[in-house]
Amino acid sequence: MRTVRDSWTSATSAVGRPRPVRVLTAVVVVAAAAAVILGALQPVVVVDGRPLSPVNGVCVAAVLSAIAQLAGLRFRLGPDAVSVSWAEAAVVVGFVVAPAGWLPAATLAGTGAAWLLLAWLTGIRNVAEIVHLVASMTLGVAGAALVTSLLAGDVPVRSARLPLALVAGAGTYLIITFGLVVLTLMLHRDAQPGQVAARVLYAKLPMSIGNVIVGITAVYALIREPLWLLAFGPVLWLLHRTYRFHLRAAEERRMWEAFAAATVRLPGAGEAEVARAGLRGALDVFGAQRAELEVHTGLGRRRYAQDAPGLEGVAGTRSGPAVTRTMVVAGRQVGELTVWLGDGGLPGPRDEAAIAAYGEALAGALHDAAAHQRITDLDANAVYERLHDPLTGLGNRIALAGEGDPLLRSLDRGRQVAMLLLDIVGFREVNSTLGHDGGDEVLRLTGGRINALARDGELVARTGDDEFALLLPVATLALPGTLRRARELVEQLRLPLEVAGVRLSVEVTVGVAVGAAGETGVAELLRRASIAVGRAKELGLTIGTYDSGQDASSTDQLALLADLQDAFAADDQIILHLQPEVDLVTAAPTGVEALVRWRHPRRGHLSPAEFLPAVERSELLIPFTRRVLDLALAAAADWTAHGIDVPVSVNVSARSLTDPTFPAQVTEALRRHRTPPSRLVLEITESVAVSEQEIVDEVLARVRSSGVQVSLDDFGTGFSSLSSVTRMPVDEIKIDRSFVDEMIDSAAAGAVVRAAVELGVRLGLRVVAEGIETIEQRAALIALGCPAAQGYHFCKPMPADRIVQALTQLARSAPANVTQLRADDAM
């Protein structure tokens, strides 16, 4: 869509023009008036051979001056228009036909009439500019007449000295008018003198030389053979067209060179940057007086504008057409570009096509900038969400470590630092009573209070569902001062608050851990503070302190980690015991669970509970997980080679599921053993499922997308069993053995098992009951519809070298086990 607007101002005076330009105009007008008066007072010198009388000659000179202006050319020089006329030819002919002193008056009358007519025809309304232009040409003619008179004197028209004088006069006219044009443009636009002079000279000099030649030729034709003047019409028309083409081609070349340079500058990182470059480019490309840009966004419209250099604040005195181009990208309107051209005439097809092309380039740059901004915002939001708790806005565990560890390293190694871990007491009851929205509000208010109570330099984070951490870089008086600070926090958090219309008080248990800045990091301080919280809860205290005697992973555990590194180098220390999962009715194998053991050279066989906690807290977790996966997949490949097609289940630690590289570790292990992903089942516990939910969900989603199965172990023992199943896509649930042990004697336990089986059926999940030890338990589970189980009743965990035989025996004897159980649970 295109609209052509009228000029955005119609100035009729010099008000608003730059003051230096107004001063120059006044000087030129006064000088021109003086030249006219002084010239008119000069006595008329009779020159031999002059073809016309003085009065007729003056009239002819005025008419020639008017024709020279009407037949002239206007070209753009930035936001201004420069006129190139046949004035030199008119000056040459006028000096021959009229007295030299009267030429300024004739020029004033002729050019003034011509420009008044042009103003009426083209819509130019700036009287100040017209007066300045007419006065400049009058002053130039006065100077030319003076120089010509001095050189020619009263020589006859046919004298050989006259052409030289005429050339000198025409040159004087060119120098005066050229100097005034350059000076005016410099004052008006604060432009570089050399650049303005070069462009004006490039436009005027060739035509001025041609004008002199045409004028002298016309003089000789007038004197010797007036009939030859009839041929001047076609010749002058041809010269006029040729020179117009020359100027237009030069302007076209300049415009497209500027177009290319401007479009190169368009791409930018932001909308404002692109808009500024686009407006600056529009001024350069089109020689515009002003450019405006209206950008359409989903949040509204924004406007940008820029005036040409030298027109800032005085653009209202400019006249010229405005072209508006609607910018569209992929059918969506991006905005509108409006360009006020410097010429007073209507824009031609070339202008409109160029503005349309420039608008398309600018639209594409704005669209790209908007897309770049959206990507930048998304990246910033992703970074923010990764480091902040979405509920309270506080930093999370990652942010606490990322900011706290460098802070601790910057402190003196001996300086005491402290970690306070605040655990909300009875938060489950808050959720049960007020609902999750009420519980969220309690967390927000509590987090806000802790943040408000934090002092300069202290770091606050939400590290768990109902846990907040406060890192104290300077522990005043070490432990005693930290305990006082903890008591202050407890008292402040007890102050009543209102949630969902209920007035309540928040009680917290605080774990305090103090250490030296150079010896402990944030993770270690959090671990110790967590131990202190657990100890305080056991003893019914409000504040608990960390004691190395409470730490299960103290000196003995550190030595255990060193031994574990030696175990990786050996082939027979880290081993697996494997226990089959079987069909409850047929006892046919349906899977195998891998249970890791450590055959310690000094301590004997160690169960997972004795070394796994230390492994999960250390840097040995990745190589340990790799070793277990290798052993499990190697065992699975062995029984697969014997024709037994069942998967292997491997327990996964909580820390592995918060490691974004874990899916790649699993994929690499499957590749090494050339095992299909469907043959691997990763078992997770409910406590794992609810910790760092967003990270765990992402890791599990990537694991499942590769084809690996996921099993929810110890189902029913956590506080969010149902939410875990519905939130996370799993393939299998394992009913905890505590319910299986009690289901015969406890109706409540039996109800839990029944509910778990029905839940699995409705969700399409496999259900496995753990810990089957008696035939009664088996019969009861079959009656409830439970499909599979594992336990001592079928097979105990055994070394890997015996699992193939056990699986083969279970598979062969499976048909014999298909017998209907009687009501008394006997086989």
Side-chain angles (χ1 to χ4, degrees):
M1 163 181 161
R2 179 183 61 82
T3 62
V4 179
R5 300 178 182 172
D6 293 333
S7 106
W8 44 285
T9 183
S10 178
T12 58
S13 68
V15 177
R17 303 180 80 204
R19 187 174 184 275
V21 177
R22 297 201 303 271
V23 173
L24 178 63
T25 299
V27 171
V28 171
V29 169
V30 171
V36 170
I37 295 172
L38 291 175
L41 296 176
Q42 296 298 316
V44 176
V45 179
V46 178
V47 177
D48 185 25
R50 180 172 287 162
L52 299 174
S53 66
V55 174
N56 291 337
V58 170
C59 293
V60 170
V63 171
L64 289 176
S65 297
I67 293 174
Q69 298 303 316
L70 293 173
L73 300 173
R74 283 170 64 85
F75 72 96
R76 289 183 192 149
L77 186 63
D80 299 289
V82 176
S83 297
V84 179
S85 66
W86 298 91
E88 290 86 351
V91 169
V92 170
V93 175
F95 186 84
V96 174
V97 300
W102 290 9
L103 282 180
T107 301
L108 178 62
T111 55
W115 276 102
L116 288 176
L117 180 60
L118 287 173
W120 179 68
L121 292 175
T122 62
I124 300 176
R125 297 291 184 267
N126 199 320
V127 176
E129 288 190 359
I130 294 177
V131 170
H132 184 97
L133 181 61
V134 172
S136 298
M137 288 186 288
T138 301
L139 192 60
V141 170
L146 177 61
V147 170
T148 305
S149 298
L150 292 175
L151 294 178
D154 56 355
V155 298
V157 171
R158 295 178 182 269
S159 172
R161 213 169 80 186
L162 183 61
L164 296 178
L166 293 175
V167 170
T172 301
Y173 174 84
L174 175 62
I175 292 173
I176 292 174
T177 55
F178 170 77
L180 289 174
V181 168
V182 172
L183 182 58
T184 301
L185 293 177
M186 286 170 50
L187 295 176
H188 206 117
R189 297 198 294 120
D190 194 22
Q192 294 295 327
Q195 180 183 6
V196 174
R199 290 201 59 196
V200 174
L201 192 62
Y202 175 81
K204 291 182 70 71
L205 185 61
M207 193 167 184
S208 297
I209 295 173
N211 281 348
V212 174
I213 295 173
V214 169
I216 293 176
T217 305
V219 167
Y220 274 90
L222 180 65
I223 295 173
R224 297 179 182 275
E225 188 57 56
L227 288 177
W228 280 105
L229 293 176
L230 298 176
F232 271 67
V235 172
L236 293 179
W237 179 85
L238 181 61
L239 288 175
H240 189 274
R241 299 291 295 180
T242 302
Y243 201 65
R244 178 186 291 273
F245 177 79
H246 163 73
L247 290 179
R248 183 170 294 173
E251 175 63 15
E252 289 274 357
R253 182 171 61 255
R254 182 209 66 79
M255 185 184 71
W256 290 113
E257 288 175 354
F259 188 102
T263 52
V264 168
R265 294 193 300 265
L266 281 181
E271 176 191 295
E273 181 181 348
V274 173
R276 287 192 296 268
L279 294 175
R280 185 170 62 251
L283 297 177
D284 294 341
V285 172
F286 306 112
Q289 297 181 7
R290 181 179 174 85
E292 288 187 1
L293 178 64
E294 183 179 88
V295 181
H296 299 175
T297 67
L299 301 177
R301 301 186 178 190
R302 284 185 287 273
R303 290 181 179 272
Y304 303 88
Q306 187 170 341
D307 293 319
L311 298 182
E312 298 87 349
V314 297
T317 65
R318 291 292 168 184
S319 60
V323 179
T324 297
R325 172 64 57 179
T326 299
M327 301 181 298
V328 178
V329 175
R332 187 178 69 86
Q333 186 171 339
V334 177
E336 288 184 350
L337 173 67
T338 302
V339 178
W340 275 270
L341 301 177
D343 199 347
L346 291 176
R350 175 183 65 86
D351 298 315
E352 296 179 8
I355 293 174
Y358 188 78
E360 291 178 0
L362 180 55
L366 287 170
H367 182 270
D368 292 344
H372 182 273
Q373 186 62 47
R374 285 194 295 271
I375 293 173
T376 301
D377 292 342
L378 288 174
D379 289 344
N381 288 337
V383 171
Y384 181 86
E385 291 173 359
R386 180 175 178 270
L387 298 177
H388 291 80
D389 170 48
L391 181 61
T392 63
L394 299 175
N396 57 17
R397 186 186 297 266
I398 298 175
L400 182 63
E403 191 174 352
D405 283 333
L407 176 61
L408 296 182
R409 287 194 295 269
S410 68
L411 302 176
D412 294 338
R413 293 184 60 85
R415 175 174 292 185
Q416 293 293 298
V417 296
M419 178 72 72
L420 304 183
L421 191 62
L422 299 91
D423 182 276
I424 298 178
V425 177
F427 185 68
R428 290 178 59 184
E429 286 73 13
V430 173
N431 270 337
S432 300
T433 305
L434 302 180
H436 288 288
D437 290 343
D440 290 347
E441 183 64 18
V442 169
L443 291 173
R444 277 192 292 267
L445 293 174
T446 302
R449 280 189 175 181
I450 297 173
N451 195 42
L453 293 170
R455 299 170 182 171
D456 290 342
E458 298 177 350
L459 302 181
V460 181
R462 182 186 176 199
T463 56
D465 285 343
D466 55 356
E467 284 185 349
F468 297 88
L470 180 62
L471 176 63
L472 311 180
V474 180
T476 306
L477 300 178
L479 185 57
T482 304
L483 291 176
R484 284 197 298 273
R485 184 70 193 286
R487 285 192 289 270
E488 291 174 1
L489 290 172
V490 170
E491 294 301 322
Q492 291 294 322
L493 292 176
R494 280 176 178 166
L495 295 178
L497 52 86
E498 186 171 322
V499 176
V502 178
R503 186 176 171 86
L504 53 86
S505 178
V506 174
E507 296 285 343
V508 295
T509 300
V510 183
V512 177
V514 177
E519 299 175 2
T520 54
V522 168
E524 177 62 17
L525 286 172
L526 276 175
R527 185 186 68 82
R528 295 178 181 180
S530 179
I531 293 174
V533 167
R535 182 62 174 168
K537 288 182 177 180
E538 291 176 5
L539 300 177
L541 302 175
T542 300
I543 299 174
T545 58
Y546 169 79
D547 184 351
S548 60
Q550 306 165 1
D551 194 347
S553 59
S554 57
T555 306
D556 188 53
Q557 293 296 312
L558 294 177
L560 199 65
L561 291 176
D563 293 341
L564 188 59
Q565 295 187 54
D566 297 335
F568 289 152
D571 295 330
D572 58 348
Q573 291 193 32
I574 305 300
I575 61 174
L576 292 184
H577 280 197
L578 303 163
Q579 185 175 31
E581 299 171 0
V582 300
D583 184 288
L584 263 173
V585 177
T586 67
T590 59
V592 176
E593 181 177 3
L595 306 170
V596 67
R597 300 288 187 269
W598 184 1
R599 187 185 295 154
H600 196 280
R602 295 187 307 278
R603 305 184 188 184
H605 284 74
L606 300 179
S607 67
E610 296 178 84
F611 62 88
L612 278 183
V615 172
E616 292 181 356
R617 291 191 298 268
S618 72
E619 298 300 323
L620 299 178
L621 180 61
I622 292 179
F624 181 82
T625 303
R626 176 189 174 100
R627 173 64 66 88
V628 173
L629 284 173
D630 282 339
L631 292 174
L633 293 175
D638 192 15
W639 68 64
T640 300
H642 287 79
I644 302 172
D645 186 11
V646 295
V648 63
S649 299
V650 178
N651 289 279
V652 179
S653 73
R655 189 173 157 205
S656 292
L657 289 181
T658 59
D659 180 6
T661 67
F662 179 67
Q665 299 173 34
V666 174
T667 302
E668 175 61 21
L670 292 169
R671 186 195 62 79
R672 287 196 304 270
H673 293 276
R674 300 180 181 179
T675 302
S678 59
R679 296 283 180 81
L680 177 63
V681 179
L682 299 180
E683 293 192 8
I684 63 174
T685 62
E686 289 186 85
S687 60
V688 172
V690 298
S691 63
E692 301 286 352
Q693 289 187 6
E694 292 184 3
I695 301 176
V696 170
D697 288 354
E698 179 183 352
V699 171
L700 286 178
R702 290 169 57 192
V703 168
R704 292 192 80 249
S705 65
S706 68
V708 174
Q709 302 180 66
V710 176
S711 174
L712 189 59
D713 198 11
D714 300 336
F715 184 76
T717 59
F719 65 87
S720 60
S721 302
L722 295 179
S723 64
S724 300
V725 175
T726 56
R727 179 175 60 84
M728 294 188 312
V730 297
D731 303 279
E732 177 185 86
I733 58 176
K734 283 191 167 183
I735 304 174
D736 188 70
R737 67 176 300 152
S738 61
F739 299 106
V740 175
D741 287 342
E742 299 177 6
M743 64 178 296
I744 301 299
D745 301 321
S746 170
V752 171
V753 175
R754 180 184 297 105
V757 172
E758 292 178 356
L759 178 64
V761 171
R762 292 182 181 275
L763 296 179
L765 306 177
R766 296 191 308 273
V767 179
V768 179
E770 295 182 300
I772 309 300
E773 296 186 355
T774 66
I775 193 172
E776 290 80 12
Q777 292 172 343
R778 178 183 182 184
L781 288 169
I782 291 175
L784 293 176
C786 184
Q790 69 180 97
Y792 282 16
H793 176 69
F794 300 101
C795 194
K796 295 182 178 180
M798 62 187 66
D801 57 359
R802 293 171 49 192
I803 190 63
V804 172
Q805 179 182 356
L807 293 174
T808 302
Q809 183 176 352
L810 287 170
R812 289 176 179 174
S813 60
N817 290 336
V818 183
T819 56
Q820 183 64 42
L821 291 172
R822 299 194 303 273
D824 58 359
D825 295 340
M827 291 292 291

